[in-house]
Amino acid sequence: MTAGLWQHWVLPGIWITIQLTVYSAALAAAVAFGVGMARTHRSRFVRFLAGFYTEVFRGTSALVLMFWLFFVLPPLVGWQLVPMWAAVLALGLSYGAYGAEIVRGALKAVPTAQREAGIALSLTPWQRMRLVLLPQAVPEMIPPFCNLLVELLKGTALVSLLGVGDVSFAAYLVRLATQDSAQIYSVTLVVYFVLAFGITRGMKALERRTKANLGVTVK
């Protein structure tokens, strides 16, 4: 593979993959915490809406949702999403639904005595969530969130089907140009591994830090 192919296709593809991962992860995190906390709300109606969202987006294909946002939505609303943002929306909404269950499970795992202590201190529901529940639940969310983030990174390869120039699409173009599948796809595997390794190391450090604030040591 020549330096020109690497510079003009592969490196920009890696950068687009990183951007897709960051933007989609930010949207997924917002959805996960919003819907996950709603799943524990006192109102049955709020819990129903949050549960309905979770079931719908967990039960649909991210790829089909991406196509729907890009091809079906524009005629309905009168404006066209660029492929990049259609991909971010599809990935963020889909993986956010999985993250919502992580948030819900971690919040439910906080001992009941902690909730009762917050009530005894006359804290409002939001204060109990912010000051009591989330500080204890977030450290337990990080390992499953790490797995979900790595899956999201790998899921960004779907955007190549919309012609977004991520690293997978760049690998396809290089293969067409060079007729050498082994080299470019081996490089692509290494790229995904390095990015995933960086995510896992970063999340592990974050887990240590959050648990250290609670006086818990992570090996």
Side-chain angles (χ1 to χ4, degrees):
M1 184 169 57
T2 66
L5 292 175
W6 178 263
Q7 180 180 355
H8 295 294
W9 287 353
V10 179
L11 285 181
I14 294 172
W15 175 236
I16 289 176
T17 293
I18 293 172
Q19 286 181 292
L20 281 166
T21 303
V22 171
Y23 297 152
S24 300
L27 176 58
V31 170
F33 277 94
V35 176
M37 289 189 291
R39 294 292 305 272
T40 66
H41 198 273
R42 292 176 299 173
S43 169
R44 180 177 296 181
F45 180 68
V46 173
R47 294 198 305 271
F48 169 78
L49 289 180
F52 180 76
Y53 173 90
T54 302
E55 294 302 324
V56 167
F57 282 90
R58 283 196 309 174
T60 54
S61 165
L63 176 60
V64 175
L65 177 61
M66 198 180 301
F67 285 158
W68 191 90
L69 290 171
F70 188 68
F71 294 111
V72 179
L73 185 63
L76 298 178
V77 299
W79 48 269
Q80 177 73 56
L81 280 172
V82 297
M84 177 81 164
W85 293 114
V88 167
L89 275 176
L91 293 172
L93 294 174
S94 297
Y95 284 87
Y98 291 100
E101 285 300 284
I102 295 173
V103 173
R104 183 192 66 82
L107 290 173
K108 288 291 188 181
V110 176
T112 304
Q114 297 293 321
R115 302 172 185 270
E116 294 173 347
I119 295 173
L121 292 172
S122 300
L123 299 179
T124 64
W126 170 241
Q127 288 175 323
R128 292 198 300 272
M129 179 66 71
R130 182 170 59 88
L131 300 175
V132 179
L133 301 179
L134 282 177
Q136 297 181 68
V138 166
E140 303 305 322
M141 299 177 195
I142 294 176
F145 268 147
C146 179
N147 291 334
L148 193 61
L149 188 53
V150 171
E151 287 298 319
L152 174 58
L153 166 67
K154 294 185 288 185
T156 60
L158 296 174
V159 306
S160 62
L161 297 176
L162 289 182
V164 179
D166 72 317
V167 69
S168 298
F169 189 71
Y172 172 72
L173 294 180
V174 171
R175 186 186 69 81
L176 290 181
T178 64
Q179 298 300 310
D180 185 359
S181 300
Q183 184 182 20
I184 183 56
Y185 284 122
S186 297
V187 169
T188 305
L189 284 175
V190 172
V191 167
Y192 278 112
F193 171 77
V194 170
L195 293 177
F197 185 78
I199 289 172
T200 55
R201 292 297 92 192
M203 295 294 280
K204 191 69 174 179
L206 181 61
E207 182 185 3
R208 289 195 190 97
R209 183 170 182 177
T210 55
K211 288 195 172 181
N213 292 336
L214 297 177
V216 178
T217 301
V218 180
K219 297 181 180 180

